[in-house]
């Protein structure tokens, strides 16, 4: 099993839910109004007067075999609109209850 953390511009939210559905990944937890900035480029997401946009974040836990397709689709979404900002990070999960 893999844990996938996705940080993204709030404009990507619905598209990410659709990607999860297409990959048959039902479970996720999302966090609204997340602030941050990317490591290399892109505009900060602070929700302030100077930087008004905000980010969101999502955790999903998927079977190992679903992760590659899910990541491919997330990468394609990022490449469609690279200035918005979208990153995904993957961790192996050893045990769940």
């Amino acid at each position: 099993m893999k844990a996938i953390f996705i940080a993204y511009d709030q404009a990507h939210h619905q598209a990410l839910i659709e990607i999860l559905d297409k990959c048959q990944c039902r479970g996720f937890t999302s966090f609204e109004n997340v602030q941050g900035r990317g490591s290399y480029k892109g505009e900060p997401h602070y929700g302030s007067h100077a930087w008004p946009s905000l980010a969101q974040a999502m955790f999903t836990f998927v079977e190992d075999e679903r992760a590659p397709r899910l990541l491919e689709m997330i990468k394609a979404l990022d490449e469609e609109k690279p200035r918005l900002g979208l990153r995904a990070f993957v961790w192996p999960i050893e045990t769940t209850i």
Side-chain angles (χ1 to χ4, degrees):
M1 180 163 274
K2 304 288 186 199
I4 302 175
F5 175 78
I6 310 163
Y8 55 95
D9 185 284
Q10 59 190 12
H12 283 310
H13 187 72
Q14 188 58 43
L16 285 167
I17 291 174
E18 291 170 11
I19 288 170
L20 290 171
D21 289 344
K22 287 178 185 174
C23 293
Q24 298 177 337
C25 300
R26 179 166 159 54
F28 71 90
T29 300
S30 67
F31 308 89
E32 294 183 3
N33 300 327
V34 176
Q35 297 180 8
R37 65 180 180 203
S39 301
Y40 302 107
K41 54 186 173 181
E43 297 183 1
H45 291 71
Y46 294 153
S48 68
H49 176 71
W51 302 103
S53 65
L54 284 166
Q56 288 186 226
M58 178 183 296
F59 255 118
T60 187
F61 297 84
V62 303
E63 294 84 4
D64 289 350
E65 62 272 7
R66 294 186 198 277
R69 180 167 182 246
L70 179 60
L71 292 169
E72 280 178 26
M73 294 180 80
I74 291 171
K75 183 178 181 190
L77 178 61
D78 181 45
E79 290 172 348
E80 284 177 27
K81 298 177 183 166
R83 295 199 61 184
L84 284 182
L86 188 155
R87 292 291 177 265
F89 305 89
V90 181
W91 289 275
I93 299 301
E94 295 179 18
T95 307
T96 65
I97 59 166

